[in-house]
Amino acid sequence: MTFKLNDTLIDTENFSAENVRQALGNTEGNNEIVDFLERWCNKSATITLKTSGSTGTPKVIEAQKTHMLASAKRTCSFFGLEPKSIMLLCLPATYIAGQMMIVRAMVSGANLLVVSPRGNIVDQINQPIDFAAMVPNQVLKNLTSAQKFNQIKTLIIGGGKVGYNIVNQLSEITTTCYETFGMTETLSHIAVRKIWPNVQPNFVAFDGVLVSATNNNNLVISDNSLNISQMQTNDIVRIISATEFEWLGRTDFVINSGGIKTSPESIEQILEPLIGKQLCITSKPDEKLGNRIVLVVEGEKTNITTQLNILEQKVSRYSVPKEVIWINQLPRNKNGKLDRLALSDMIK
């Protein structure tokens, strides 16, 4: 397979690390890209991948390269990526999201432009981009440059919940945006939902993917292309059909307060449009309740009594935050995802 990396032709059958380094120049993260391509181009049928650890202890999995190719082909077909397409890599190649952008370039033969994942991404591009992928925090940072953001034709957003603050600001751009659902174990996304310019309420699975749920509403995935059969996840969902679902949260983060279980994501969904800031629901140990719910808000402190009163009318009293903490910046991991585990340790 051949593809272009920063306009330089790369041949995976005759791989040269030096050619890749020359194509990348001094771009941040080039060592990770070279490392991935070296492991991809060896004779092994599998490649080791590591999870980000955003929902637990990071782990290493062994993936079939043919399955990664199948996943990439499905995405390229859905979004119409082809040899003349220009793709943007602005995610670390350490994890599956960035790695699959490279594989999609291989499959489509597209030109993959690489920029630093840190700072303002759109300021680093000076030409139209057909397809890019970002995490929510990157989108928020870059929406301040709407005119430059419009250079991106299609954007997929993954690695965390796309909250109200992001969706509300998408009206300033012309980029077509999708929220994705997936994980390392599914080799990136297996379902998408359009969030701009038209909003789809639910995720719709790709062809060949079937979804169901356990009695506890945990998502179960089957995917013929990836040889996945009845894989149970920690995602809480409402099943609409065998190919459509609404994502509600993660069992990893469910808080038991006073015997009542609360999904943090459900409370965040209510509070985000009311407060208009980046926020997170977490908990602290409590002698009476077991755990008391805590609201952590990013930014300068303001009076949010009215907003909390509105929340109290909509949810159980056990789900209303008993404490509000204001911090300069919510912790995020190397991949830009909100690090709930680190936040929990910070406030204890």
Side-chain angles (χ1 to χ4, degrees):
M1 291 183 290
T2 60
F3 70 103
K4 288 184 178 180
L5 189 64
N6 288 348
D7 298 314
T8 299
L9 189 66
I10 303 297
D11 185 353
T12 60
E13 300 298 324
N14 298 286
F15 178 73
S16 167
E18 183 58 31
N19 286 348
V20 173
R21 292 188 187 279
Q22 288 181 2
L24 293 172
N26 295 321
T27 306
E28 181 181 356
N30 59 4
N31 289 334
E32 288 82 359
I33 295 173
V34 172
D35 172 71
F36 174 74
L37 284 170
E38 284 181 328
R39 292 186 296 118
W40 179 270
C41 295
N42 66 25
K43 295 182 180 180
S44 174
T46 64
I47 188 170
T48 55
L49 307 173
K50 60 181 179 180
T51 64
S52 64
S54 58
T55 60
T57 304
K59 59 183 179 180
V60 174
I61 65 173
E62 198 77 13
Q64 294 286 333
K65 292 176 182 177
T66 54
H67 291 165
M68 295 177 71
L69 290 170
S71 172
K73 288 177 182 176
R74 191 160 56 188
T75 296
C76 291
S77 175
F78 184 87
F79 291 106
L81 301 176
E82 53 188 10
K84 67 178 182 180
S85 299
I86 308 295
M87 297 169 57
L88 182 70
L89 176 59
C90 56
L91 294 167
T94 315
Y95 301 107
I96 190 66
Q99 293 166 344
M100 285 304 298
M101 286 296 292
I102 299 172
V103 180
R104 290 169 196 143
M106 294 181 196
V107 166
S108 63
N111 186 10
L112 183 65
L113 301 185
V114 182
V115 299
S116 170
R118 300 181 186 275
N120 197 310
I121 292 165
V122 295
D123 280 346
Q124 301 176 64
I125 58 177
N126 54 15
Q127 67 181 95
I129 301 295
D130 294 300
F131 184 76
M134 296 183 188
V135 295
N137 191 45
Q138 287 178 315
V139 178
L140 272 178
K141 287 182 177 179
N142 284 271
L143 281 174
T144 57
S145 305
Q147 186 174 359
K148 290 192 173 183
F149 206 110
N150 290 337
Q151 294 180 103
I152 302 173
K153 180 181 178 182
T154 301
L155 174 71
I156 58 173
I157 310 171
K161 179 172 66 71
V162 178
Y164 170 84
N165 290 329
I166 292 178
V167 176
N168 188 47
Q169 293 181 54
L170 293 180
S171 60
E172 302 296 323
I173 63 174
T174 59
T175 304
T176 301
C177 300
Y178 293 81
E179 181 180 9
T180 64
F181 177 88
M183 60 202 76
T184 307
E185 290 83 353
T186 60
L187 306 178
S188 190
H189 48 257
I190 51 91
V192 298
R193 76 177 186 102
K194 197 173 185 180
I195 55 175
W196 183 255
N198 306 115
V199 179
Q200 293 178 320
N202 306 313
F203 284 100
V204 178
F206 284 146
D207 289 343
V209 178
L210 296 176
V211 295
S212 59
T214 66
N215 292 334
N216 293 323
N217 298 318
N218 287 98
L219 177 67
V220 178
I221 300 170
S222 292
D223 187 344
N224 289 334
S225 297
L226 306 184
N227 197 29
I228 294 173
S229 178
Q230 297 292 300
M231 183 182 78
Q232 182 176 326
T233 75
N234 289 335
D235 295 278
I236 306 170
V237 299
R238 182 172 69 90
I239 296 296
I240 310 300
S241 71
T243 57
E244 187 176 351
F245 62 93
E246 178 187 5
W247 186 83
L248 302 175
R250 297 270 304 179
T251 56
D252 312 68
F253 306 125
V254 168
I255 301 169
N256 190 327
S257 182
I260 304 298
K261 293 182 178 180
T262 296
S263 171
E265 294 92 344
S266 64
I267 306 302
E268 292 163 2
Q269 188 172 358
I270 298 172
L271 285 176
E272 280 184 348
L274 294 174
I275 297 176
K277 294 179 181 290
Q278 291 290 287
L279 53 83
C280 182
I281 292 291
T282 184
S283 65
K284 285 184 177 182
D286 186 277
E287 290 185 5
K288 293 183 178 180
L289 299 173
N291 294 285
R292 69 177 182 275
I293 293 181
V294 177
L295 167 63
V296 183
V297 188
E298 184 177 89
E300 188 176 344
K301 184 177 181 180
T302 59
N303 190 332
I304 58 171
T305 302
T306 301
Q307 292 90 328
L308 292 177
N309 288 339
I310 294 173
L311 174 67
E312 194 167 359
Q313 297 171 18
K314 297 183 177 184
V315 299
S316 162
R317 63 188 179 94
Y318 292 102
S319 298
V320 177
K322 303 299 186 288
E323 181 181 355
V324 180
I325 298 175
W326 296 81
I327 61 175
N328 291 330
Q329 189 170 9
L330 291 167
R332 294 178 174 86
N333 61 23
K334 293 179 180 178
N335 209 20
K337 299 180 184 180
L338 175 64
D339 194 331
R340 292 179 185 268
L341 300 178
L343 178 61
S344 180
D345 290 337
M346 284 174 58
I347 66 169
K348 284 182 179 177

PDB file of all heavy atoms in Angstrom, residues 198-223:
ATOM      1  N   ASN A 198     -27.046  19.090  10.973  1.00  0.00           N
ATOM      2  CA  ASN A 198     -28.264  18.466  11.487  1.00  0.00           C
ATOM      3  C   ASN A 198     -27.899  17.580  12.666  1.00  0.00           C
ATOM      4  O   ASN A 198     -26.841  16.967  12.685  1.00  0.00           O
ATOM      5  CB  ASN A 198     -28.935  17.618  10.390  1.00  0.00           C
ATOM      6  CG  ASN A 198     -29.181  18.417   9.116  1.00  0.00           C
ATOM      7  OD1 ASN A 198     -28.609  18.118   8.090  1.00  0.00           O
ATOM      8  ND2 ASN A 198     -30.018  19.439   9.206  1.00  0.00           N
ATOM      9  N   VAL A 199     -28.767  17.494  13.642  1.00  0.00           N
ATOM     10  CA  VAL A 199     -28.470  16.722  14.852  1.00  0.00           C
ATOM     11  C   VAL A 199     -29.267  15.426  14.867  1.00  0.00           C
ATOM     12  O   VAL A 199     -30.499  15.439  14.769  1.00  0.00           O
ATOM     13  CB  VAL A 199     -28.788  17.541  16.127  1.00  0.00           C
ATOM     14  CG1 VAL A 199     -28.484  16.715  17.363  1.00  0.00           C
ATOM     15  CG2 VAL A 199     -27.997  18.834  16.146  1.00  0.00           C
ATOM     16  N   GLN A 200     -28.544  14.314  14.949  1.00  0.00           N
ATOM     17  CA  GLN A 200     -29.181  13.014  15.146  1.00  0.00           C
ATOM     18  C   GLN A 200     -29.163  12.700  16.641  1.00  0.00           C
ATOM     19  O   GLN A 200     -28.115  12.816  17.282  1.00  0.00           O
ATOM     20  CB  GLN A 200     -28.429  11.914  14.391  1.00  0.00           C
ATOM     21  CG  GLN A 200     -28.501  12.021  12.885  1.00  0.00           C
ATOM     22  CD  GLN A 200     -27.691  10.922  12.208  1.00  0.00           C
ATOM     23  OE1 GLN A 200     -26.609  10.582  12.647  1.00  0.00           O
ATOM     24  NE2 GLN A 200     -28.228  10.377  11.134  1.00  0.00           N
ATOM     25  N   PRO A 201     -30.277  12.299  17.230  1.00  0.00           N
ATOM     26  CA  PRO A 201     -30.315  12.053  18.671  1.00  0.00           C
ATOM     27  C   PRO A 201     -29.554  10.809  19.106  1.00  0.00           C
ATOM     28  O   PRO A 201     -29.065  10.734  20.230  1.00  0.00           O
ATOM     29  CB  PRO A 201     -31.804  11.914  18.970  1.00  0.00           C
ATOM     30  CG  PRO A 201     -32.399  11.444  17.673  1.00  0.00           C
ATOM     31  CD  PRO A 201     -31.600  12.098  16.601  1.00  0.00           C
ATOM     32  N   ASN A 202     -29.427   9.825  18.201  1.00  0.00           N
ATOM     33  CA  ASN A 202     -28.857   8.537  18.584  1.00  0.00           C
ATOM     34  C   ASN A 202     -27.688   8.139  17.693  1.00  0.00           C
ATOM     35  O   ASN A 202     -27.529   8.641  16.579  1.00  0.00           O
ATOM     36  CB  ASN A 202     -29.933   7.452  18.505  1.00  0.00           C
ATOM     37  CG  ASN A 202     -31.176   7.797  19.299  1.00  0.00           C
ATOM     38  OD1 ASN A 202     -31.077   8.217  20.442  1.00  0.00           O
ATOM     39  ND2 ASN A 202     -32.337   7.644  18.689  1.00  0.00           N
ATOM     40  N   PHE A 203     -26.873   7.215  18.207  1.00  0.00           N
ATOM     41  CA  PHE A 203     -25.790   6.639  17.423  1.00  0.00           C
ATOM     42  C   PHE A 203     -26.366   5.581  16.479  1.00  0.00           C
ATOM     43  O   PHE A 203     -27.222   4.778  16.871  1.00  0.00           O
ATOM     44  CB  PHE A 203     -24.753   5.987  18.330  1.00  0.00           C
ATOM     45  CG  PHE A 203     -23.859   6.969  19.039  1.00  0.00           C
ATOM     46  CD1 PHE A 203     -24.090   7.314  20.358  1.00  0.00           C
ATOM     47  CD2 PHE A 203     -22.786   7.545  18.373  1.00  0.00           C
ATOM     48  CE1 PHE A 203     -23.267   8.219  21.010  1.00  0.00           C
ATOM     49  CE2 PHE A 203     -21.958   8.457  19.013  1.00  0.00           C
ATOM     50  CZ  PHE A 203     -22.198   8.798  20.339  1.00  0.00           C
ATOM     51  N   VAL A 204     -25.860   5.576  15.248  1.00  0.00           N
ATOM     52  CA  VAL A 204     -26.256   4.579  14.252  1.00  0.00           C
ATOM     53  C   VAL A 204     -25.033   3.746  13.907  1.00  0.00           C
ATOM     54  O   VAL A 204     -23.983   4.294  13.539  1.00  0.00           O
ATOM     55  CB  VAL A 204     -26.834   5.237  12.987  1.00  0.00           C
ATOM     56  CG1 VAL A 204     -27.186   4.181  11.955  1.00  0.00           C
ATOM     57  CG2 VAL A 204     -28.046   6.089  13.326  1.00  0.00           C
ATOM     58  N   ALA A 205     -25.145   2.430  14.051  1.00  0.00           N
ATOM     59  CA  ALA A 205     -24.006   1.534  13.833  1.00  0.00           C
ATOM     60  C   ALA A 205     -23.688   1.399  12.351  1.00  0.00           C
ATOM     61  O   ALA A 205     -24.570   1.522  11.485  1.00  0.00           O
ATOM     62  CB  ALA A 205     -24.310   0.170  14.437  1.00  0.00           C
ATOM     63  N   PHE A 206     -22.421   1.129  12.055  1.00  0.00           N
ATOM     64  CA  PHE A 206     -21.996   0.870  10.686  1.00  0.00           C
ATOM     65  C   PHE A 206     -22.555  -0.471  10.211  1.00  0.00           C
ATOM     66  O   PHE A 206     -22.967  -1.320  11.013  1.00  0.00           O
ATOM     67  CB  PHE A 206     -20.471   0.834  10.599  1.00  0.00           C
ATOM     68  CG  PHE A 206     -19.826   2.197  10.638  1.00  0.00           C
ATOM     69  CD1 PHE A 206     -18.600   2.368  11.257  1.00  0.00           C
ATOM     70  CD2 PHE A 206     -20.427   3.296  10.040  1.00  0.00           C
ATOM     71  CE1 PHE A 206     -17.984   3.612  11.282  1.00  0.00           C
ATOM     72  CE2 PHE A 206     -19.822   4.535  10.060  1.00  0.00           C
ATOM     73  CZ  PHE A 206     -18.599   4.704  10.680  1.00  0.00           C
ATOM     74  N   ASP A 207     -22.522  -0.673   8.902  1.00  0.00           N
ATOM     75  CA  ASP A 207     -22.962  -1.944   8.321  1.00  0.00           C
ATOM     76  C   ASP A 207     -22.161  -3.094   8.928  1.00  0.00           C
ATOM     77  O   ASP A 207     -20.939  -3.000   9.068  1.00  0.00           O
ATOM     78  CB  ASP A 207     -22.768  -1.934   6.803  1.00  0.00           C
ATOM     79  CG  ASP A 207     -23.748  -1.005   6.101  1.00  0.00           C
ATOM     80  OD1 ASP A 207     -24.755  -0.627   6.720  1.00  0.00           O
ATOM     81  OD2 ASP A 207     -23.489  -0.656   4.925  1.00  0.00           O
ATOM     82  N   GLY A 208     -22.848  -4.161   9.284  1.00  0.00           N
ATOM     83  CA  GLY A 208     -22.194  -5.327   9.861  1.00  0.00           C
ATOM     84  C   GLY A 208     -22.125  -5.313  11.371  1.00  0.00           C
ATOM     85  O   GLY A 208     -21.696  -6.298  11.987  1.00  0.00           O
ATOM     86  N   VAL A 209     -22.539  -4.196  11.987  1.00  0.00           N
ATOM     87  CA  VAL A 209     -22.509  -4.079  13.443  1.00  0.00           C
ATOM     88  C   VAL A 209     -23.922  -4.189  13.998  1.00  0.00           C
ATOM     89  O   VAL A 209     -24.840  -3.523  13.522  1.00  0.00           O
ATOM     90  CB  VAL A 209     -21.891  -2.737  13.878  1.00  0.00           C
ATOM     91  CG1 VAL A 209     -21.909  -2.613  15.400  1.00  0.00           C
ATOM     92  CG2 VAL A 209     -20.474  -2.601  13.346  1.00  0.00           C
ATOM     93  N   LEU A 210     -24.092  -5.043  15.015  1.00  0.00           N
ATOM     94  CA  LEU A 210     -25.379  -5.192  15.689  1.00  0.00           C
ATOM     95  C   LEU A 210     -25.209  -4.874  17.161  1.00  0.00           C
ATOM     96  O   LEU A 210     -24.189  -5.222  17.768  1.00  0.00           O
ATOM     97  CB  LEU A 210     -25.922  -6.612  15.523  1.00  0.00           C
ATOM     98  CG  LEU A 210     -26.250  -7.058  14.092  1.00  0.00           C
ATOM     99  CD1 LEU A 210     -26.682  -8.526  14.086  1.00  0.00           C
ATOM    100  CD2 LEU A 210     -27.335  -6.175  13.483  1.00  0.00           C
ATOM    101  N   VAL A 211     -26.199  -4.207  17.751  1.00  0.00           N
ATOM    102  CA  VAL A 211     -26.122  -3.830  19.162  1.00  0.00           C
ATOM    103  C   VAL A 211     -27.337  -4.353  19.927  1.00  0.00           C
ATOM    104  O   VAL A 211     -28.420  -4.502  19.380  1.00  0.00           O
ATOM    105  CB  VAL A 211     -26.029  -2.297  19.326  1.00  0.00           C
ATOM    106  CG1 VAL A 211     -24.735  -1.772  18.728  1.00  0.00           C
ATOM    107  CG2 VAL A 211     -27.224  -1.587  18.701  1.00  0.00           C
ATOM    108  N   SER A 212     -27.102  -4.633  21.198  1.00  0.00           N
ATOM    109  CA  SER A 212     -28.167  -5.046  22.112  1.00  0.00           C
ATOM    110  C   SER A 212     -27.735  -4.613  23.504  1.00  0.00           C
ATOM    111  O   SER A 212     -26.734  -3.929  23.664  1.00  0.00           O
ATOM    112  CB  SER A 212     -28.397  -6.566  22.035  1.00  0.00           C
ATOM    113  OG  SER A 212     -27.206  -7.273  22.360  1.00  0.00           O
ATOM    114  N   ALA A 213     -28.498  -4.997  24.522  1.00  0.00           N
ATOM    115  CA  ALA A 213     -28.157  -4.595  25.885  1.00  0.00           C
ATOM    116  C   ALA A 213     -28.477  -5.711  26.864  1.00  0.00           C
ATOM    117  O   ALA A 213     -29.370  -6.542  26.632  1.00  0.00           O
ATOM    118  CB  ALA A 213     -28.911  -3.321  26.275  1.00  0.00           C
ATOM    119  N   THR A 214     -27.739  -5.732  27.967  1.00  0.00           N
ATOM    120  CA  THR A 214     -27.998  -6.685  29.044  1.00  0.00           C
ATOM    121  C   THR A 214     -29.194  -6.204  29.866  1.00  0.00           C
ATOM    122  O   THR A 214     -29.742  -5.124  29.626  1.00  0.00           O
ATOM    123  CB  THR A 214     -26.773  -6.797  29.967  1.00  0.00           C
ATOM    124  OG1 THR A 214     -26.594  -5.530  30.637  1.00  0.00           O
ATOM    125  CG2 THR A 214     -25.518  -7.119  29.178  1.00  0.00           C
ATOM    126  N   ASN A 215     -29.574  -6.982  30.856  1.00  0.00           N
ATOM    127  CA  ASN A 215     -30.673  -6.579  31.743  1.00  0.00           C
ATOM    128  C   ASN A 215     -30.340  -5.310  32.519  1.00  0.00           C
ATOM    129  O   ASN A 215     -31.239  -4.604  32.983  1.00  0.00           O
ATOM    130  CB  ASN A 215     -31.007  -7.707  32.718  1.00  0.00           C
ATOM    131  CG  ASN A 215     -31.607  -8.917  32.023  1.00  0.00           C
ATOM    132  OD1 ASN A 215     -32.204  -8.781  30.953  1.00  0.00           O
ATOM    133  ND2 ASN A 215     -31.448 -10.088  32.603  1.00  0.00           N
ATOM    134  N   ASN A 216     -29.033  -5.036  32.675  1.00  0.00           N
ATOM    135  CA  ASN A 216     -28.593  -3.824  33.370  1.00  0.00           C
ATOM    136  C   ASN A 216     -28.307  -2.673  32.406  1.00  0.00           C
ATOM    137  O   ASN A 216     -27.689  -1.676  32.790  1.00  0.00           O
ATOM    138  CB  ASN A 216     -27.334  -4.117  34.197  1.00  0.00           C
ATOM    139  CG  ASN A 216     -27.612  -5.068  35.343  1.00  0.00           C
ATOM    140  OD1 ASN A 216     -28.679  -5.011  35.964  1.00  0.00           O
ATOM    141  ND2 ASN A 216     -26.661  -5.948  35.630  1.00  0.00           N
ATOM    142  N   ASN A 217     -28.744  -2.841  31.154  1.00  0.00           N
ATOM    143  CA  ASN A 217     -28.601  -1.798  30.121  1.00  0.00           C
ATOM    144  C   ASN A 217     -27.155  -1.546  29.699  1.00  0.00           C
ATOM    145  O   ASN A 217     -26.827  -0.454  29.218  1.00  0.00           O
ATOM    146  CB  ASN A 217     -29.251  -0.483  30.571  1.00  0.00           C
ATOM    147  CG  ASN A 217     -30.747  -0.624  30.798  1.00  0.00           C
ATOM    148  OD1 ASN A 217     -31.431  -1.263  30.014  1.00  0.00           O
ATOM    149  ND2 ASN A 217     -31.237  -0.048  31.878  1.00  0.00           N
ATOM    150  N   ASN A 218     -26.300  -2.552  29.858  1.00  0.00           N
ATOM    151  CA  ASN A 218     -24.938  -2.446  29.334  1.00  0.00           C
ATOM    152  C   ASN A 218     -24.941  -2.813  27.851  1.00  0.00           C
ATOM    153  O   ASN A 218     -25.548  -3.814  27.457  1.00  0.00           O
ATOM    154  CB  ASN A 218     -23.984  -3.373  30.082  1.00  0.00           C
ATOM    155  CG  ASN A 218     -23.665  -2.879  31.475  1.00  0.00           C
ATOM    156  OD1 ASN A 218     -24.252  -3.329  32.446  1.00  0.00           O
ATOM    157  ND2 ASN A 218     -22.745  -1.948  31.588  1.00  0.00           N
ATOM    158  N   LEU A 219     -24.242  -2.023  27.071  1.00  0.00           N
ATOM    159  CA  LEU A 219     -24.208  -2.246  25.631  1.00  0.00           C
ATOM    160  C   LEU A 219     -23.478  -3.542  25.297  1.00  0.00           C
ATOM    161  O   LEU A 219     -22.434  -3.852  25.865  1.00  0.00           O
ATOM    162  CB  LEU A 219     -23.490  -1.069  24.950  1.00  0.00           C
ATOM    163  CG  LEU A 219     -23.298  -1.178  23.434  1.00  0.00           C
ATOM    164  CD1 LEU A 219     -24.644  -1.115  22.720  1.00  0.00           C
ATOM    165  CD2 LEU A 219     -22.378  -0.069  22.931  1.00  0.00           C
ATOM    166  N   VAL A 220     -24.026  -4.283  24.337  1.00  0.00           N
ATOM    167  CA  VAL A 220     -23.412  -5.501  23.812  1.00  0.00           C
ATOM    168  C   VAL A 220     -23.222  -5.312  22.310  1.00  0.00           C
ATOM    169  O   VAL A 220     -24.155  -4.926  21.605  1.00  0.00           O
ATOM    170  CB  VAL A 220     -24.282  -6.742  24.100  1.00  0.00           C
ATOM    171  CG1 VAL A 220     -23.646  -7.991  23.491  1.00  0.00           C
ATOM    172  CG2 VAL A 220     -24.498  -6.915  25.600  1.00  0.00           C
ATOM    173  N   ILE A 221     -22.001  -5.591  21.834  1.00  0.00           N
ATOM    174  CA  ILE A 221     -21.659  -5.347  20.430  1.00  0.00           C
ATOM    175  C   ILE A 221     -21.292  -6.647  19.725  1.00  0.00           C
ATOM    176  O   ILE A 221     -20.541  -7.466  20.261  1.00  0.00           O
ATOM    177  CB  ILE A 221     -20.460  -4.382  20.328  1.00  0.00           C
ATOM    178  CG1 ILE A 221     -20.782  -3.041  20.989  1.00  0.00           C
ATOM    179  CG2 ILE A 221     -20.052  -4.170  18.863  1.00  0.00           C
ATOM    180  CD1 ILE A 221     -19.566  -2.131  21.126  1.00  0.00           C
ATOM    181  N   SER A 222     -21.815  -6.801  18.513  1.00  0.00           N
ATOM    182  CA  SER A 222     -21.374  -7.872  17.609  1.00  0.00           C
ATOM    183  C   SER A 222     -20.965  -7.214  16.293  1.00  0.00           C
ATOM    184  O   SER A 222     -21.677  -6.341  15.781  1.00  0.00           O
ATOM    185  CB  SER A 222     -22.490  -8.891  17.364  1.00  0.00           C
ATOM    186  OG  SER A 222     -22.775  -9.622  18.539  1.00  0.00           O
ATOM    187  N   ASP A 223     -19.805  -7.620  15.770  1.00  0.00           N
ATOM    188  CA  ASP A 223     -19.277  -6.996  14.559  1.00  0.00           C
ATOM    189  C   ASP A 223     -18.583  -8.055  13.719  1.00  0.00           C
ATOM    190  O   ASP A 223     -17.482  -8.516  14.048  1.00  0.00           O
ATOM    191  CB  ASP A 223     -18.295  -5.884  14.941  1.00  0.00           C
ATOM    192  CG  ASP A 223     -17.823  -5.072  13.744  1.00  0.00           C
ATOM    193  OD1 ASP A 223     -17.998  -5.529  12.603  1.00  0.00           O
ATOM    194  OD2 ASP A 223     -17.266  -3.973  13.951  1.00  0.00           O
TER     195      ASP A 223
END
